Amino acid sequence: MSVQAVKRRLSPGHIEALKGERPIVSLTAYTTPIARLLDPHVDFMLVGDSLGMVLYGLDSTVGVTLDMMIAHGQAVMRGSEKACVVVDLPFGSYQQSKEQAFASAARILKETGCSAVKLEGGAEMAETVDFLTQRGIPVLGHVGLMPQLVNTMGGYRSVGRSDKEAAKIRRDAKAIDDAGAFAIVIEGTIEPLAREISEALRAPTIGIGASPACDGQILVSDDMLGIFSDFKPRFVKHFAELAPQISAAFEAYAQEVKARSFPGIEHTFQVKPKA
């Protein structure tokens, strides 16, 4: 009897091993259809809590719940086979204690089948990252601009410009690196600092508004596709302009329905002649 080869997903260990080999490719995914399209092209997909703003119209990521993350994590897992899938721990699901973080992360892994979780935070979260990794939960770290802290950081802005702020980001990155994160997202951080941190850390860095010298890059898929048009961060490049095309398609549909030119008879089911 022949044995068919089983396709294996990239693991957090595979992502970690890419440091120094080649740039790591990542994008966000929230739905099954997008996951299917992304899967051949990325090393890992992030089911980011950015879905709160992109899909649900929230003002920030703070209102995202654990149930929301699990539902979208399940959808992305159904649409992917190759890429490593990482799911964000949403605000309030891990900051209270390392035990709370473990319970939330374990639930995500069990209910979605994903490979890892991501959490935001620096030195103050290092003990939690160590606690999780020691118990079999791979962690993607996140330092620099942290969207879940937007209410205390004074909004979305670049960080690391002052000596004090730069020193804190260095400490944060090293603490999460030492705690065992398999990779670390650096967001919204001035380029020279992000470059310096990338060169200093053991774990690969994943830049978003950081530096070309980061070990990998990530963007919100809806941003780079030109779909999410509420605002365009400086660090986003539109690789497509889909919003106008989608709007034009909706307009054409509406016009054809009103004109009764759609549906045509070819779009309907007819009674088959009796034999």
Side-chain angles (χ1 to χ4, degrees), residues 168 198 225 238 251 259:
K168 181 183 185 306
S198 295
L225 290 173
H238 284 178
E251 181 184 6

Side-chain angles (χ1 to χ4, degrees), residues 200-218:
L201 296 187
R202 167 200 58 83
T205 58
I206 311 297
I208 176 167
S211 172
C214 288
D215 300 295
Q217 301 294 330
I218 187 169

Side-chain angles (χ1 to χ4, degrees), residues 7-24:
K7 291 183 178 179
R8 295 187 61 184
R9 285 185 184 272
L10 294 176
S11 68
H14 288 124
I15 306 303
E16 190 171 18
L18 287 175
K19 187 178 179 80
E21 295 296 320
R22 65 162 175 81
I24 298 164

Side-chain angles (χ1 to χ4, degrees), residues 18-111:
L18 287 175
K19 187 178 179 80
E21 295 296 320
R22 65 162 175 81
I24 298 164
V25 182
S26 180
L27 285 165
T28 62
Y30 317 118
T31 65
T32 300
I34 292 297
R36 285 183 180 137
L37 294 173
L38 281 182
D39 196 46
H41 307 293
V42 298
D43 297 307
F44 77 89
M45 300 182 202
L46 174 65
V47 186
D49 58 2
S50 50
L51 62 83
M53 302 168 74
V54 174
L55 298 185
Y56 291 90
L58 300 178
D59 292 332
S60 73
T61 63
V62 174
V64 175
T65 67
L66 193 60
D67 286 341
M68 290 164 68
M69 296 309 307
I70 288 171
H72 288 279
Q74 292 169 339
V76 168
M77 287 295 294
R78 285 192 289 268
S80 61
E81 296 180 349
K82 174 189 77 71
C84 179
V85 175
V86 182
V87 176
D88 259 336
L89 284 167
F91 179 77
S93 70
Y94 64 95
Q95 292 94 337
Q96 184 177 10
S97 68
K98 57 185 184 292
E99 290 79 13
Q100 181 203 29
F102 180 83
S104 297
R107 186 181 164 205
I108 286 176
L109 264 64
K110 284 182 178 181
E111 295 186 29

Side-chain angles (χ1 to χ4, degrees), residues 96-270:
Q96 184 177 10
S97 68
K98 57 185 184 292
E99 290 79 13
Q100 181 203 29
F102 180 83
S104 297
R107 186 181 164 205
I108 286 176
L109 264 64
K110 284 182 178 181
E111 295 186 29
T112 69
C114 73
S115 299
V117 297
K118 181 173 80 64
L119 58 78
E120 296 181 13
E124 76 283 358
M125 295 306 303
E127 184 180 354
T128 295
V129 172
D130 179 69
F131 189 84
L132 295 180
T133 57
Q134 291 295 326
R135 286 159 179 78
I137 298 179
V139 176
L140 174 64
H142 187 145
V143 300
L145 171 63
M146 291 177 275
Q148 291 181 7
L149 299 181
V150 64
N151 290 328
T152 59
M153 293 183 69
Y156 297 98
R157 61 177 181 83
S158 60
V159 296
R161 295 187 180 279
S162 70
D163 290 343
K164 181 179 179 181
E165 200 169 58
K168 181 183 185 306
I169 296 171
R170 288 189 192 94
R171 289 195 301 272
D172 286 345
K174 186 176 188 308
I176 297 301
D177 189 35
D178 290 344
F182 72 88
I184 301 172
V185 172
I186 303 178
E187 181 171 357
T189 301
I190 61 170
E191 198 280 331
L193 179 59
R195 180 182 295 269
E196 173 194 329
I197 291 171
S198 295
E199 293 172 351
L201 296 187
R202 167 200 58 83
T205 58
I206 311 297
I208 176 167
S211 172
C214 288
D215 300 295
Q217 301 294 330
I218 187 169
L219 284 175
V220 172
S221 292
D222 295 66
D223 282 344
M224 57 83 70
L225 290 173
I227 298 175
F228 184 71
S229 56
D230 288 7
F231 62 90
K232 180 187 175 186
R234 175 186 178 87
F235 55 80
V236 169
K237 175 180 177 180
H238 284 178
F239 287 79
E241 294 287 354
L242 297 189
Q245 297 179 47
I246 294 170
S247 180
F250 291 156
E251 181 184 6
Y253 167 79
Q255 289 176 347
E256 290 197 17
V257 169
K258 291 174 183 176
R260 293 192 180 277
S261 60
F262 178 85
I265 197 68
E266 69 272 21
H267 303 117
T268 62
F269 298 98
Q270 300 298 311

